[in-house]
Amino acid sequence: MHTQPNGGRAVGRGVLPLLLAAALLLAGCDELVVPDYNNPSLEDLQNNPTRTAVQTAATGLLIGARANISESNGYVSLLGILGRESYNLDGSEPRFVTEMLINPLSPSGAFGGNLWALRYRNIRNANLVLQGTDRVSGFSNAEKEAIRGFAKTMMALDYLLVINTRDANGAVVDASRPLSEGPGALVGRAEVFNHIVRLLDEAQAHLNAGGGAFPFPLSAGFAAFNTPATFRQFNRALKARVDVYLRNYPQALTDLQGSFLNPSGSLTLGAYHSFGTGSGETPNGLVAVTIFAHPSIMAGAERQPGGALDQRVLGKVVQGESRTQLGVTSDLRFILYPSNTSPVPIIRNEELILLRAEARWFTGDRVGATADLNLIRQRSGGLAPIAQPANDDAFVTALLKERFYSLLFEGGHRWIDHRRFGRLDQLPRLPGHTVHPRFPIPEAECLARGQPTCQA
């Protein structure tokens, strides 16, 4: 049964797991070939799991994780529209303007009802990997721990993407219920984040006991994190992002120490979703000719001491032919994804430094926080340093600006950041337009509970 990416089936009932025979993961020009392993079925994984079936299923979680990320109506694009990073001026699909920018988000369609079902499908698949791992005798204890740490980390990432879109509307954390028991309960934002924290911390403990290697291949997007020890750094990086979202700044500083944060290292070091164009592959759809950059990117950019624009703008946006759709106009195009095989960041060193800036500021280290902001301004933007902000409000203004340009069109950061600081009303918008604060719970999820609309 095929589940559309518009939330068309309810968690715990119709969101069936993907068949976990992974095909190809491409990154750049190199192929990571994951054999079919005789196409293990869902029933085999549940009832008669084997070492090879679990290995394939574990690698398949990376394929599931990138689903609905880079499509023209996927996570990066839709959150980019809400956060005024991007427009999609597609003349054949007016809802990119009428729904995403003007009218209420519809819980029944491929916009407001989107970014739900495929996340839960991958979460359910991760649960199957965990169950299969517990039952297979062909793994060493260290290998089992490595798989558990990997699967729980990927589950946490999926839950984070869900709650980033639904926020106060909540989400479902009990996503592994038998179909006969009906859908899991919708719970509030705080409980979802508590679940994410538990998963990440449990995963860290598993990875600590995970030995020297994973018993399955990872994609090239995880080349720097393809052992349990290095993947643990990715886990702590995600945990630091969650800590900051929760304003648990002392814990964020602790988790950043265990991450791959490196102030003198490459700012692009990180974990990425990999894409390709081969058989069974998923291309990066963010290169779509209908996707334009928001005019505020260039309008608000600072200039380097020599007069050139912020290097982050020059490296990510170019001016070209103008297009107008339903009163929305832009002549800026993104160039940060040069082709449909370009990887999309999950989390990078540059973000970690900015997370540390925020955590330092709100734990009293204003000098260190300002130094981190200036490190990014100078290394990434080529800009002159700024003086220490006078107060919290001034710091947040400076922080949001650096995060906007550093993390532009990578994962909806501008929208999420302005929401968490209560500044959605400061995002630029045209007359008659609105800034949606969150996505609704998909209609199918509510109907499964006997309600036309719902929230936690």
Side-chain angles (χ1 to χ4, degrees):
M1 182 179 298
H2 180 65
T3 303
Q4 296 293 333
N6 62 0
R9 299 196 179 276
V11 172
R13 286 191 177 182
V15 180
L16 296 178
L18 291 170
L19 293 179
L20 292 175
L24 298 172
L25 279 175
L26 299 182
C29 297
D30 298 323
E31 294 186 0
L32 170 62
V33 179
V34 183
D36 188 337
Y37 293 135
N38 296 319
N39 193 26
S41 69
L42 172 61
E43 290 185 0
D44 288 340
L45 192 61
Q46 289 179 311
N47 302 324
N48 188 31
T50 63
R51 177 183 173 93
T52 53
V54 172
Q55 288 172 315
T56 303
T59 299
L61 296 181
L62 294 173
I63 297 173
R66 74 180 181 196
N68 215 202
I69 293 294
S70 72
E71 290 83 347
S72 61
N73 73 326
Y75 185 87
V76 174
S77 175
L78 292 190
L79 270 62
I81 294 171
L82 295 184
R84 274 44 175 194
E85 296 179 89
S86 61
Y87 287 136
N88 193 324
L89 305 181
D90 185 347
S92 65
E93 182 46 273
R95 288 178 293 176
F96 282 114
V97 174
T98 59
E99 186 171 340
M100 296 303 297
L101 297 172
I102 302 173
N103 299 323
L105 292 172
S106 169
S108 64
F111 292 86
N114 201 351
L115 310 180
W116 179 272
L118 294 184
R119 298 275 67 80
Y120 278 107
R121 180 179 287 187
N122 209 43
I123 288 167
R124 190 172 176 89
N125 289 345
N127 277 318
L128 291 175
V129 169
L130 292 172
Q131 293 165 17
T133 300
D134 290 341
R135 298 178 59 193
V136 171
S137 60
F139 291 113
S140 69
N141 288 335
E143 287 177 325
K144 288 186 175 183
E145 288 292 89
I147 295 171
R148 292 176 184 127
F150 173 79
K152 288 185 178 182
T153 300
M154 299 309 294
M155 287 174 68
L157 175 60
D158 279 310
Y159 277 117
L160 180 59
L161 298 187
V162 170
I163 200 60
N164 280 348
T165 59
R166 268 63 198 188
D167 193 54
N169 284 337
V172 177
V173 297
D174 184 4
S176 60
R177 296 161 63 91
L179 300 181
S180 60
E181 295 183 9
L186 281 166
V187 300
R189 178 183 183 274
E191 187 168 343
V192 177
F193 269 105
N194 287 339
H195 187 62
I196 293 169
V197 168
R198 283 195 298 271
L199 283 171
L200 288 171
D201 286 345
E202 288 173 6
Q204 178 186 217
H206 292 308
L207 293 166
N208 286 340
F214 284 114
F216 57 89
L218 277 67
S219 73
F222 282 81
F225 310 101
N226 59 9
T227 68
T230 54
F231 193 84
R232 186 174 63 241
Q233 296 177 331
F234 167 69
N235 171 286
R236 290 298 88 184
L238 287 182
K239 178 63 166 22
R241 179 192 282 172
V242 170
D243 295 332
V244 166
Y245 284 0
L246 295 175
R247 302 196 178 191
N248 187 353
Y249 293 119
Q251 185 62 46
L253 292 174
T254 297
D255 287 325
L256 285 168
Q257 289 178 348
S259 75
F260 58 92
L261 185 152
N262 183 354
S264 61
S266 170
L267 299 179
T268 62
L269 173 65
Y272 293 76
H273 294 295
S274 297
F275 300 91
T277 57
S279 175
E281 261 298 322
T282 298
N284 183 341
L286 297 173
V287 298
V289 296
T290 60
I291 294 179
F292 286 74
H294 197 278
S296 64
I297 295 171
M298 195 164 287
E302 294 182 42
R303 292 193 175 272
Q304 301 178 51
L309 281 174
D310 185 324
Q311 183 57 48
R312 292 168 292 188
V313 175
L314 297 177
K316 299 176 182 182
V317 176
V318 66
Q319 200 162 18
E321 183 178 351
S322 177
R323 179 179 295 190
T324 299
Q325 167 74 3
L326 298 175
V328 177
T329 301
S330 178
D331 63 353
L332 301 179
R333 306 301 290 268
F334 289 107
I335 56 174
L336 75 166
Y337 304 116
S339 76
N340 59 3
T341 62
S342 297
V344 174
I346 300 173
I347 191 164
R348 296 190 290 115
N349 187 33
E350 189 162 357
E351 180 183 352
L352 298 185
I353 295 169
L354 290 170
L355 291 175
R356 189 176 71 173
E358 183 175 340
R360 279 178 158 176
W361 181 272
F362 288 108
T363 54
D365 183 5
R366 297 190 168 193
V367 173
T370 305
D372 280 340
L373 288 185
N374 282 327
L375 185 156
I376 297 301
R377 285 176 59 83
Q378 294 174 286
R379 286 193 57 197
S380 189
L383 304 176
I386 59 171
Q388 180 176 303
N391 50 44
D392 289 353
D393 188 68
F395 171 78
V396 170
T397 298
L399 173 71
L400 292 183
K401 187 166 192 177
E402 302 312 321
R403 285 181 59 86
F404 172 41
Y405 285 104
S406 285
L407 308 179
L408 180 63
F409 209 49
E410 293 185 6
H413 296 282
R414 192 187 198 189
W415 181 61
I416 296 167
D417 289 343
H418 276 72
R419 182 179 63 198
R420 65 190 180 92
F421 282 108
R423 294 192 179 196
L424 285 178
D425 61 344
Q426 296 180 10
L427 289 173
R429 59 186 183 273
L430 298 174
H433 287 202
T434 189
V435 177
H436 302 301
R438 62 192 65 89
F439 286 73
I441 303 298
E443 181 181 60
E445 196 69 38
C446 300
L447 292 176
R449 294 162 170 77
Q451 307 168 50
T453 61
C454 59
Q455 64 183 66

